Amino acid sequence: MVQLAVILPLHEYLSWTGEKHSMLQELSDGLTSFYDSSIKSLVRWHPSLKNDLDHSEEQKSEMVMDSWYLHHPLLNLARLALRGDRMAKKLFLDSIDYAIKVARHFNYKWPVFYKMTTLEVLKAETAPGKGGEKDVPGSYAHVMLLAWQLTKEKRFLLEAHRALKSLDGLAFGIFYQANNTAFAAGAFLEMYKVTDDKRYLELSYCCLAGLFKNCQLWDCNYGYGKNFPYFFSVFPLKDAPYTAAYEELEVFAALHHYLEAAAGIAILPSLNILIPEFIKYATGRLAYYYPPLLPEEMIAQKTKTGEIQKDLWVPLEDIHDGWEKSGEVGQEVYGAGLAFGIIPRQYFKVGNLGGTVFINYPISNFRVGKNSITFRLEGSALLRAQMRLLDFSKEILTKIRVQQKVNSSYKPVNELSIGLYELIGDGIVRIKIS
């Protein structure tokens, strides 16, 4: 899970830059070592290091699987496969039947921990009477839908349908972990597009409602919170007393995917406000998980696990309430793809003009012509987005005129400062170079 959580955003970033980096190959080369031919699946722990597991936590034992940890690597392998990675495709398809076997064994209602060899349940519920990891059917369905896209085998669609059916009626109870619930929302929307069954669309709303119910929609302007932008952060779990970089990045990416999948669908107007606003605030917030950007006094001196190297650009695992120090569980290696996942979604290169367009809202149809750039903002006209033109020459900046389509006609957009513009949150934008 850790390697792939870095490999995928790094792959996205390197595709964006058009460059190569040895780290991508080094991380990828190690993936096949996690495949266990005896059960025909990826395993959680590296087999050669099984004797190093100290059993200090329930899952730190050989062949113990936390339910969502099986699906998450498969999710990223499938995405890499769809991006043309042949090794990822083979590893994914070699593991997929084991995932189906587990799903059917548990009747699409996963426990917390189980033994991979025997499927013995080691921990059934997150808490007494609360059931297992309830949103795992959503991440499993997402995996199945990616398998269907990759192979066109209808059995994967059937698996996705069976898994998603198990979430019907849970409402806010779907939410277990923020990123998995966000993946579930996308899976429901994709199934709606395939089947035209509106119940799937409605259930995607249930997932998103659970997600936004678990957001911090206030500013923490006290204690250490004065040094960190908290507004619109999402808690990784229902009872988590902190926010976490990795889960927030995945929610950010999943909500981008949701809007892309929703193209041409009249989704709830509230979602045209909430999703773009989450993305806007996340774009401005997430860099502050990096300890070099935080004041010394905000960071915990002692950690429960791991360690903190303040000058290392790996995000803290946890940001706490303003009265508490952050980083109690060290730095988040699997969150090291944070910047790589954000940049390709918010920064758009304009090669022929030598610059980059940054937009803090989700957009679609970014197109570059000889002397113009156009794109569509995917938000609400009630709110505003910002656009900044980066690395353009002074000569080009003086020739740029920005217009936005309002009520069927283009109107000029005022420049707040050199290269900085405020845009209406919905509609087509045109950048002309005269």
Side-chain angles (χ1 to χ4, degrees):
M1 190 279 281
V2 175
Q3 279 85 336
L4 281 159
V6 178
I7 289 170
L8 179 68
L10 183 57
H11 195 287
E12 293 173 339
Y13 174 74
L14 292 175
S15 296
W16 180 84
T17 63
E19 299 171 357
K20 294 183 178 181
H21 197 288
S22 60
M23 183 180 290
L24 180 65
Q25 193 61 50
E26 285 180 39
L27 289 171
S28 298
D29 286 346
L31 289 178
T32 54
S33 299
F34 287 89
Y35 184 79
D36 189 306
S37 57
S38 67
I39 60 171
K40 296 183 180 179
S41 174
L42 287 173
V43 294
R44 178 172 183 175
W45 304 109
H46 197 290
S48 69
L49 300 176
K50 62 184 179 183
N51 293 329
D52 292 347
L53 294 169
D54 61 10
H55 308 279
S56 60
E57 298 175 29
E58 294 167 291
Q59 72 274 21
K60 289 186 177 180
S61 299
E62 184 188 1
M63 285 294 178
V64 173
M65 180 58 73
D66 186 332
S67 285
W68 74 271
Y69 267 74
L70 177 66
H71 302 143
H72 196 277
L74 295 177
L75 202 63
N76 284 337
L77 282 173
R79 289 166 173 162
L80 287 168
L82 289 165
R83 295 172 67 86
D85 188 318
R86 292 182 180 179
M87 183 275 290
K89 181 177 180 179
K90 182 178 187 321
L91 204 49
F92 174 74
L93 293 177
D94 285 349
S95 300
I96 197 71
D97 286 322
Y98 176 82
I100 293 171
K101 172 186 170 182
V102 173
R104 291 175 177 175
H105 177 81
F106 292 125
N107 196 25
Y108 307 97
K109 294 180 181 178
W110 281 259
V112 180
F113 297 125
Y114 61 89
K115 191 81 170 178
M116 293 192 75
T117 48
T118 63
L119 302 187
E120 172 193 359
V121 175
L122 303 177
K123 183 178 180 181
E125 298 185 300
T126 56
K130 298 295 184 181
E133 297 179 358
K134 292 185 178 178
D135 55 8
V136 167
S139 57
Y140 172 78
H142 194 171
V143 169
M144 292 298 116
L145 287 165
L146 291 171
W148 174 66
Q149 289 176 34
L150 202 58
T151 67
K152 299 305 177 187
E153 292 182 30
K154 289 187 177 179
R155 67 188 181 108
F156 297 125
L157 267 184
L158 181 59
E159 284 297 309
H161 166 74
R162 288 169 174 166
L164 292 175
K165 187 177 179 181
S166 72
L167 295 174
D168 199 353
L170 291 181
F172 284 123
I174 292 174
F175 187 103
Y176 168 66
Q177 184 163 300
N179 52 336
N180 291 330
T181 303
F183 293 144
F188 274 123
L189 183 60
E190 295 280 9
M191 280 297 283
Y192 167 66
K193 291 170 66 176
V194 172
T195 65
D196 204 32
D197 183 344
K198 284 199 171 181
R199 185 59 182 153
Y200 284 121
L201 181 61
E202 292 164 355
L203 285 167
S204 81
Y205 298 156
C206 284
C207 295
L208 294 175
L211 193 68
F212 291 120
K213 178 178 179 287
N214 218 50
C215 283
Q216 179 169 325
L217 288 170
W218 72 91
D219 269 321
C220 181
N221 56 4
Y222 54 85
Y224 303 118
K226 293 178 181 177
N227 303 306
F228 185 89
Y230 285 76
F231 185 76
F232 224 143
S233 51
V234 61
F235 297 101
L237 302 166
K238 279 185 178 180
D239 56 354
Y242 60 86
T243 61
Y246 165 73
E247 282 83 353
E248 289 220 76
L249 172 63
E250 293 226 317
V251 170
F252 169 87
L255 291 181
H256 262 284
H257 168 254
Y258 189 91
L259 286 182
E260 290 165 8
I265 299 171
I267 60 174
L268 289 175
S270 58
L271 293 178
N272 288 323
I273 293 174
L274 289 167
I275 294 177
E277 286 291 296
F278 175 87
I279 288 169
K280 178 171 78 175
Y281 282 98
T283 301
R285 270 190 315 101
L286 294 183
Y288 292 94
Y289 277 97
Y290 290 114
L293 296 181
L294 300 175
E296 190 83 39
E297 63 271 17
M298 182 178 172
I299 301 174
Q301 278 74 48
K302 292 183 178 180
T303 59
K304 294 176 181 177
T305 58
E307 61 181 71
I308 293 176
Q309 298 178 37
K310 190 179 183 303
D311 60 347
L312 189 66
W313 289 85
V314 172
L316 296 182
E317 169 87 15
D318 49 315
I319 297 292
H320 288 258
D321 178 272
W323 298 128
E324 300 172 348
K325 295 198 174 191
S326 296
E328 288 185 351
V329 284
Q331 283 166 275
E332 196 176 61
V333 176
Y334 54 91
L338 182 65
F340 305 134
I342 294 170
I343 289 172
R345 291 173 171 83
Q346 307 300 151
Y347 293 79
F348 302 88
K349 287 190 170 188
V350 187
N352 59 327
L353 299 173
T356 301
V357 179
F358 165 75
I359 306 150
N360 65 0
Y361 244 42
I363 70 162
S364 62
N365 299 322
F366 188 87
R367 295 176 181 172
V368 179
K370 184 177 180 182
N371 292 304
S372 67
I373 303 162
T374 60
F375 60 87
R376 179 176 182 81
L377 283 159
E378 297 292 348
S380 167
L382 296 172
L383 295 166
R384 299 293 179 265
Q386 284 191 332
M387 177 179 75
R388 188 178 289 275
L389 305 181
L390 304 169
D391 301 325
F392 289 90
S393 69
K394 289 183 179 179
E395 181 185 358
I396 289 178
L397 285 173
T398 60
K399 296 178 180 179
I400 281 177
R401 299 292 179 268
V402 178
Q403 301 172 320
Q404 187 164 11
K405 199 169 188 180
V406 180
N407 297 327
S408 75
S409 63
Y410 282 96
K411 295 184 179 180
V413 176
N414 291 328
E415 192 173 24
L416 301 178
S417 61
I418 297 175
L420 177 64
Y421 300 84
E422 185 174 77
L423 306 170
I424 296 169
D426 177 39
I428 298 171
V429 176
R430 182 166 63 191
I431 302 170
K432 298 184 74 176
I433 299 94
S434 56

